[in-house]
Amino acid sequence: TQQPLPTVSDLTPNHTLRRLIQAWCNENASLGVDRIPTPKPSIDKFHFLKLIKQLQHPDSKMKALKELDLLAAKNERNRKYMVEAGVPKAMLSFIVNCFKEDCVSGLEEALSVLFLIRIPSAQAKLLPKQNDQIIKSLIWVLGCEFNTQVMVKSHAVSALKSIIETASSVVLERLEPKFFEMIVGVLKQCTTRITQQGINSALHVLLDACPWGRNRLMMVESGAVSALIELELGSPEKRTTELILGILFHLCSCADGRAEFLRHKGGIAVVTKRIMRVSPAADDRAVLILSLISKFSATSWVVHEMLEVGTVTKLCMLLQLDCATYLKEKTMEILRSHSDDWLKFPCIDKTVLTRYIK
């Protein structure tokens, strides 16, 4: 019928028809007809259950891991059966055992399989008791050395993201300083040492941990603010910028975070530059960051800096756009709070500024 088949098609093979076609090919070989090969038996869920059992035996575990990796990369149908057979949980258990035994053999393959099939959120939620060990194991992986360093670290952070985004508040409240040191360390690595997807996964992990004040303080102490600003100065992709500004907003909600933000000479400048250049979500976070700085950390130097790097001009321009009402109110609040200081400078367009502060 020439109609395309769906990606996952549960078809019953017609072996008799295949043999007849092969016989015809043989009869017409002299005419240049090639004999069609006999397809291999289709792989089902039970095949993957068998491979999971082989992981328990030292002699067969590496062979099983390599086969799982190859099959996961092959097609979506295999990945579907792997999830049904419980391969994600088996891979996480394997990684935890590697951590306990301080052995890196097989980690590359196990993390590659996890990356290809993903960890379904439904399965991740069924692992609350093991979450602490899984998180510690993945953090340990980030500190190990591998031949394929870029991919292994990226896959480890991707797995960590899946665990963290479904973890309970109890787990997130117990995160340790080393956890944030390793994640921030990932952000400090350039894209030659980790993929862009790995960087975004690391940012997601930090953002999911931000609601807890204790976590924010540990992030600040681990150098997250400076690392985020440096990453943003590299003009990353849109989604990366949105994540960075989202985390910086949370970190600037505490005094230590604001102090670190202002200690970096490019902080105010890069946040200002992103307004009206990325997305409404980025505008939202950028204005909220500037609002926190303006309200709680507005020294004379900061007020002057906001004028010099174009923050005042950018905020006036934002008010002319069709943005959310609450965002306009925040913007006007910033302009009004320091208008007396800004109007003293001859470089400011007094007409534009006074239009919005009445």
Side-chain angles (χ1 to χ4, degrees):
T1 63
Q2 301 300 310
Q3 297 299 308
L5 292 171
T7 306
V8 180
S9 303
D10 291 323
L11 303 177
T12 303
N14 188 328
H15 298 295
T16 302
L17 179 58
R18 187 250 308 157
R19 283 194 291 268
L20 288 170
I21 292 172
Q22 288 177 329
W24 181 87
C25 290
N26 290 335
E27 290 172 3
N28 292 273
S30 60
L31 300 176
V33 177
D34 293 326
R35 182 179 184 276
I36 64 167
T38 301
K40 294 180 180 179
S42 59
I43 296 172
D44 56 17
K45 172 182 173 181
F46 299 102
H47 180 74
F48 294 110
L49 288 171
K50 180 182 175 182
L51 290 175
I52 290 173
K53 286 183 179 179
Q54 291 177 9
L55 293 174
Q56 311 304 319
H57 304 286
D59 296 337
S60 60
K61 70 176 183 180
M62 283 307 302
K63 182 181 177 183
L65 279 169
K66 288 177 180 178
E67 186 174 348
L68 285 168
D69 194 12
L70 288 171
L71 291 173
K74 192 172 183 181
N75 57 52
E76 182 61 33
R77 181 174 181 169
N78 286 348
R79 292 190 285 272
K80 173 176 170 281
Y81 285 136
M82 291 170 89
V83 170
E84 291 177 0
V87 171
K89 185 177 180 180
M91 293 299 98
L92 289 171
S93 296
F94 180 85
I95 293 167
V96 170
N97 287 334
C98 286
F99 166 59
K100 290 178 179 178
E101 297 170 6
D102 195 22
C103 173
V104 298
S105 178
L107 275 177
E108 295 182 39
E109 290 79 6
L111 286 164
S112 177
V113 171
L114 272 182
F115 179 76
L116 289 166
I117 62 178
R118 307 297 178 186
I119 305 172
S121 57
Q123 288 198 18
K125 289 177 181 177
L126 298 176
L127 303 168
K129 292 182 180 179
Q130 297 107 308
N131 271 350
D132 281 336
Q133 282 296 312
I134 292 170
I135 291 169
K136 286 180 181 178
S137 301
L138 291 170
I139 289 297
W140 167 73
V141 171
L142 293 178
C144 296
E145 293 295 326
F146 300 89
N147 293 328
T148 55
Q149 190 84 336
V150 173
M151 298 314 299
V152 174
K153 297 285 177 84
S154 300
H155 293 167
V157 179
S158 177
L160 194 58
K161 170 181 172 287
S162 299
I163 296 298
I164 290 295
E165 64 188 7
T166 57
S168 66
S169 58
V170 175
V171 172
L172 294 174
E173 287 172 352
R174 289 203 303 258
L175 294 174
E176 300 173 353
K178 186 178 179 181
F179 175 89
F180 295 105
E181 289 168 11
M182 296 304 293
I183 299 300
V184 171
V186 168
L187 298 180
K188 290 178 179 178
Q189 297 173 357
C190 58
T191 51
T192 57
R193 299 193 66 190
I194 191 166
T195 64
Q196 182 61 52
Q197 189 172 359
I199 288 173
N200 283 357
S201 293
L203 291 170
H204 271 289
V205 168
L206 291 181
L207 191 58
D208 286 337
C210 272
W212 289 268
R214 176 176 173 272
N215 290 346
R216 291 197 294 270
L217 286 174
M218 286 189 286
M219 287 184 211
V220 173
E221 289 169 0
S222 65
V225 175
S226 176
L228 290 166
I229 294 172
E230 287 295 325
L231 186 58
E232 187 55 40
L233 285 169
S235 300
E237 61 182 30
K238 171 185 167 183
R239 183 55 185 149
T240 304
T241 292
E242 291 173 346
L243 290 167
I244 289 172
L245 294 178
I247 300 166
L248 283 175
F249 161 67
H250 281 288
L251 298 185
C252 284
S253 66
C254 64
D256 289 348
R258 291 191 297 275
E260 287 299 312
F261 179 83
L262 293 173
R263 193 168 285 121
H264 195 293
K265 294 182 179 180
I268 295 176
V270 75
V271 170
T272 297
K273 190 175 181 180
R274 294 298 177 260
I275 296 175
M276 297 167 52
R277 287 194 175 190
V278 182
S279 67
D283 291 345
D284 177 283
R285 293 302 159 192
V287 170
L288 291 178
I289 290 168
L290 294 172
S291 175
L292 288 168
I293 297 299
S294 171
K295 188 174 182 179
F296 300 109
S297 305
T299 62
S300 57
W301 171 85
V302 170
V303 172
H304 188 206
E305 178 82 359
M306 291 176 78
L307 185 65
E308 274 196 336
V309 300
T311 305
V312 180
T313 303
K314 242 337 173 26
L315 293 175
C316 289
M317 291 171 65
L318 184 63
L319 287 173
Q320 298 173 44
L321 298 181
D322 185 22
C323 59
T325 303
Y326 81 92
L327 202 58
K328 286 192 175 184
E329 290 174 354
K330 279 286 180 187
T331 303
M332 291 175 69
E333 184 183 301
I334 297 170
L335 293 174
R336 284 175 181 149
S337 60
H338 305 294
S339 59
D340 290 343
D341 294 306
W342 288 325
L343 287 171
K344 294 175 184 177
F345 291 90
C347 60
I348 189 71
D349 188 335
K350 295 179 177 59
T351 305
V352 175
L353 181 58
T354 53
R355 184 190 306 167
Y356 298 111
I357 61 176
K358 292 179 181 178

